[in-house]
């Protein structure tokens, strides 16, 4: 079944991801409502929320590097796509909002717009991935705080001290504190109570529900 062009346009307008279309000169010709809404939310209006912006000229301007730090790379890839030397470009980038001190992350994808087997411009698609990026950064932080001990640990059969990588013998407690994020609180096990404090050890024989 063949769908009319208007149906495809309606579908693009309804997407929850930002879409923009440029001509062969890099000038934005169309944006969908999500693109316009997101640009307005980020304080990028009126430059980015409507047709008319020339991406090539924008990326060439060094004054715009704060908004687009990877401008030289993006400009190169955009030209490659417009010239037919590249069929796809994908880049993760972020925008730091000075007012709210918030960082918003996006996944940008750029593909050529084909019209009768000729490149008629490019299609830019931006997906807000801030929520997922925050999860990723939190996970990286958690992983960075986890240290594990692997392999064989030389331990003295008598005093139970451990030999570290510098051939120094150290107490187990000090060794674990230095090589892991473990913290210690001290107690006495039942066997040691019986040996060291025999007159108090009878309490160990009381039923668990008795004081």
């Amino acid at each position: 079944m063949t769908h009319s062009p208007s149906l495809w346009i309606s579908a693009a307008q309804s997407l929850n991801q930002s879409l923009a279309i440029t001509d062969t000169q890099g000038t934005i010709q169309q944006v969908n409502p999500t693109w316009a809404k997101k640009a307005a939310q980020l304080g990028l209006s009126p430059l980015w929320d409507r047709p008319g912006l020339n991406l090539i000229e924008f990326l060439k301007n060094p004054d715009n590097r704060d908004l687009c730090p990877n401008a030289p790379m993006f400009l190169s890839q955009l030209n490659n796509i417009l010239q037919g030397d590249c069929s796809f470009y994908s880049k993760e980038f972020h925008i730091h909002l000075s007012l709210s001190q918030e960082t918003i992350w996006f996944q940008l994808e750029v593909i050529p717009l084909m019209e009768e087997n000729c490149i008629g411009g490019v299609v830019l698609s931006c997906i807000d991935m801030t929520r997922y990026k925050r999860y990723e950064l939190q996970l990286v932080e958690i992983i960075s705080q986890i240290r594990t001990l692997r392999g064989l640990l030389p331990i003295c059969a008598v005093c139970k001290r451990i030999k570290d990588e510098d051939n120094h013998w150290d107490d187990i407690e000090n060794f674990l504190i230095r090589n892991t994020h473990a913290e210690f609180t001290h107690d006495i096990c039942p066997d040691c109570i019986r040996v060291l404090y025999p007159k108090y050890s009878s309490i160990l024989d009381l039923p668990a529900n008795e004081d």
Side-chain angles (χ1 to χ4, degrees):
M1 177 171 50
T2 302
H3 298 292
S4 65
S6 61
L7 185 61
W8 290 106
I9 294 174
S10 297
Q13 298 282 9
S14 302
L15 286 174
N16 196 32
Q17 66 190 68
S18 303
L19 289 179
I21 299 174
T22 78
D23 60 15
T24 55
Q25 304 304 312
T27 300
I28 295 179
Q29 300 296 309
Q30 297 287 340
V31 298
N32 73 345
T34 304
W35 179 287
K37 180 180 178 181
K38 183 61 67 174
Q41 289 176 345
L42 297 176
L44 302 177
S45 176
L47 189 62
W48 282 90
D49 65 349
R50 64 200 67 182
L53 174 68
N54 185 280
L55 288 178
I56 293 177
E57 295 302 321
F58 179 87
L59 295 171
K60 285 181 178 179
N61 189 342
D63 294 337
N64 297 322
R65 294 295 165 82
D66 288 341
L67 184 59
C68 190
N70 298 311
M73 173 64 71
F74 183 26
L75 177 62
S76 174
Q77 294 297 331
L78 181 61
N79 283 324
N80 287 338
I81 291 178
L82 287 170
Q83 295 166 11
D85 297 328
C86 179
S87 61
F88 179 76
Y89 174 66
S90 179
K91 179 67 177 179
E92 180 184 290
F93 72 98
H94 64 274
I95 296 176
H96 183 71
L97 305 180
S98 56
L99 292 179
S100 64
Q101 297 298 310
E102 185 180 10
T103 300
I104 309 297
W105 292 84
F106 293 95
Q107 181 69 37
L108 169 68
E109 294 183 353
V110 186
I111 59 173
L113 175 65
M114 304 304 297
E115 296 180 327
E116 298 180 354
N117 296 324
C118 294
I119 296 176
V122 298
V123 178
L124 300 100
S125 169
C126 273
I127 300 176
D128 187 338
M129 53 178 294
T130 304
R131 181 177 61 174
Y132 307 106
K133 191 65 181 181
R134 287 172 180 168
Y135 290 152
E136 177 187 331
L137 294 175
Q138 290 174 3
L139 182 60
V140 170
E141 177 66 19
I142 291 172
I143 292 176
S144 69
Q145 295 178 7
I146 297 175
R147 284 185 264 174
T148 58
L149 297 175
R150 295 186 177 89
L152 298 175
L153 297 177
I155 185 169
C156 175
V158 179
C159 68
K160 304 304 181 184
R161 288 190 298 172
I162 294 177
K163 183 168 68 174
D164 62 20
E165 60 275 7
D166 296 322
N167 289 324
H168 295 147
W169 290 91
D170 202 356
D171 294 334
I172 291 180
E173 183 175 328
N174 292 333
F175 181 85
L176 292 177
I177 290 175
R178 193 173 68 252
N179 289 277
T180 71
H181 289 284
E183 296 181 2
F184 290 88
T185 180
H186 294 87
D187 202 347
I188 302 178
C189 72
D191 290 341
C192 289
I193 289 178
R194 295 181 189 280
V195 172
L196 299 175
Y197 308 102
K199 67 177 181 178
Y200 299 114
S201 63
S202 59
I203 195 173
L204 299 175
D205 300 321
L206 296 176
N209 59 349
E210 292 190 16
D211 295 330

